[in-house]
PDB file of all heavy atoms in Angstrom:
ATOM      1  N   ALA A   8    -146.195  88.389  59.454  1.00  0.00           N
ATOM      2  CA  ALA A   8    -147.536  87.760  59.559  1.00  0.00           C
ATOM      3  C   ALA A   8    -148.633  88.858  59.592  1.00  0.00           C
ATOM      4  O   ALA A   8    -149.706  88.664  58.972  1.00  0.00           O
ATOM      5  CB  ALA A   8    -147.659  86.936  60.805  1.00  0.00           C
ATOM      6  N   GLY A   9    -148.364  89.989  60.194  1.00  0.00           N
ATOM      7  CA  GLY A   9    -149.306  91.083  60.226  1.00  0.00           C
ATOM      8  C   GLY A   9    -149.580  91.656  58.837  1.00  0.00           C
ATOM      9  O   GLY A   9    -150.735  91.906  58.457  1.00  0.00           O
ATOM     10  N   PHE A  10    -148.511  91.764  58.034  1.00  0.00           N
ATOM     11  CA  PHE A  10    -148.691  92.240  56.682  1.00  0.00           C
ATOM     12  C   PHE A  10    -149.482  91.216  55.852  1.00  0.00           C
ATOM     13  O   PHE A  10    -150.396  91.586  55.078  1.00  0.00           O
ATOM     14  CB  PHE A  10    -147.372  92.531  55.995  1.00  0.00           C
ATOM     15  CG  PHE A  10    -146.716  93.780  56.492  1.00  0.00           C
ATOM     16  CD1 PHE A  10    -145.485  93.742  57.089  1.00  0.00           C
ATOM     17  CD2 PHE A  10    -147.355  95.014  56.377  1.00  0.00           C
ATOM     18  CE1 PHE A  10    -144.875  94.896  57.540  1.00  0.00           C
ATOM     19  CE2 PHE A  10    -146.767  96.181  56.815  1.00  0.00           C
ATOM     20  CZ  PHE A  10    -145.524  96.107  57.419  1.00  0.00           C
ATOM     21  N   ILE A  11    -149.172  89.972  55.989  1.00  0.00           N
ATOM     22  CA  ILE A  11    -149.891  88.957  55.219  1.00  0.00           C
ATOM     23  C   ILE A  11    -151.341  88.850  55.634  1.00  0.00           C
ATOM     24  O   ILE A  11    -152.220  88.796  54.794  1.00  0.00           O
ATOM     25  CB  ILE A  11    -149.172  87.550  55.375  1.00  0.00           C
ATOM     26  CG1 ILE A  11    -147.760  87.631  54.763  1.00  0.00           C
ATOM     27  CG2 ILE A  11    -149.995  86.450  54.809  1.00  0.00           C
ATOM     28  CD1 ILE A  11    -146.936  86.436  55.056  1.00  0.00           C
ATOM     29  N   ALA A  12    -151.596  88.878  56.950  1.00  0.00           N
ATOM     30  CA  ALA A  12    -152.953  88.787  57.425  1.00  0.00           C
ATOM     31  C   ALA A  12    -153.773  89.978  57.018  1.00  0.00           C
ATOM     32  O   ALA A  12    -154.938  89.859  56.677  1.00  0.00           O
ATOM     33  CB  ALA A  12    -152.980  88.625  58.966  1.00  0.00           C
ATOM     34  N   SER A  13    -153.177  91.159  57.045  1.00  0.00           N
ATOM     35  CA  SER A  13    -153.916  92.355  56.651  1.00  0.00           C
ATOM     36  C   SER A  13    -154.244  92.306  55.132  1.00  0.00           C
ATOM     37  O   SER A  13    -155.327  92.784  54.720  1.00  0.00           O
ATOM     38  CB  SER A  13    -153.132  93.640  56.922  1.00  0.00           C
ATOM     39  OG  SER A  13    -151.956  93.765  56.150  1.00  0.00           O
ATOM     40  N   ALA A  14    -153.384  91.705  54.315  1.00  0.00           N
ATOM     41  CA  ALA A  14    -153.734  91.547  52.916  1.00  0.00           C
ATOM     42  C   ALA A  14    -154.838  90.541  52.708  1.00  0.00           C
ATOM     43  O   ALA A  14    -155.735  90.738  51.891  1.00  0.00           O
ATOM     44  CB  ALA A  14    -152.456  91.104  52.118  1.00  0.00           C
ATOM     45  N   ILE A  15    -154.826  89.448  53.484  1.00  0.00           N
ATOM     46  CA  ILE A  15    -155.875  88.463  53.371  1.00  0.00           C
ATOM     47  C   ILE A  15    -157.200  89.023  53.833  1.00  0.00           C
ATOM     48  O   ILE A  15    -158.230  88.781  53.191  1.00  0.00           O
ATOM     49  CB  ILE A  15    -155.500  87.155  54.198  1.00  0.00           C
ATOM     50  CG1 ILE A  15    -154.321  86.499  53.554  1.00  0.00           C
ATOM     51  CG2 ILE A  15    -156.680  86.239  54.335  1.00  0.00           C
ATOM     52  CD1 ILE A  15    -153.732  85.368  54.376  1.00  0.00           C
ATOM     53  N   MET A  16    -157.189  89.749  54.947  1.00  0.00           N
ATOM     54  CA  MET A  16    -158.413  90.330  55.538  1.00  0.00           C
ATOM     55  C   MET A  16    -158.797  91.637  54.876  1.00  0.00           C
ATOM     56  O   MET A  16    -159.793  92.253  55.253  1.00  0.00           O
ATOM     57  CB  MET A  16    -158.270  90.510  57.026  1.00  0.00           C
ATOM     58  CG  MET A  16    -157.965  89.229  57.798  1.00  0.00           C
ATOM     59  SD  MET A  16    -159.398  88.154  57.874  1.00  0.00           S
ATOM     60  CE  MET A  16    -160.450  89.041  58.986  1.00  0.00           C
TER      61      MET A  16
END
Side-chain angles (χ1 to χ4, degrees):
F10 286 120
I11 293 170
S13 68
I15 292 170
M16 298 289 289

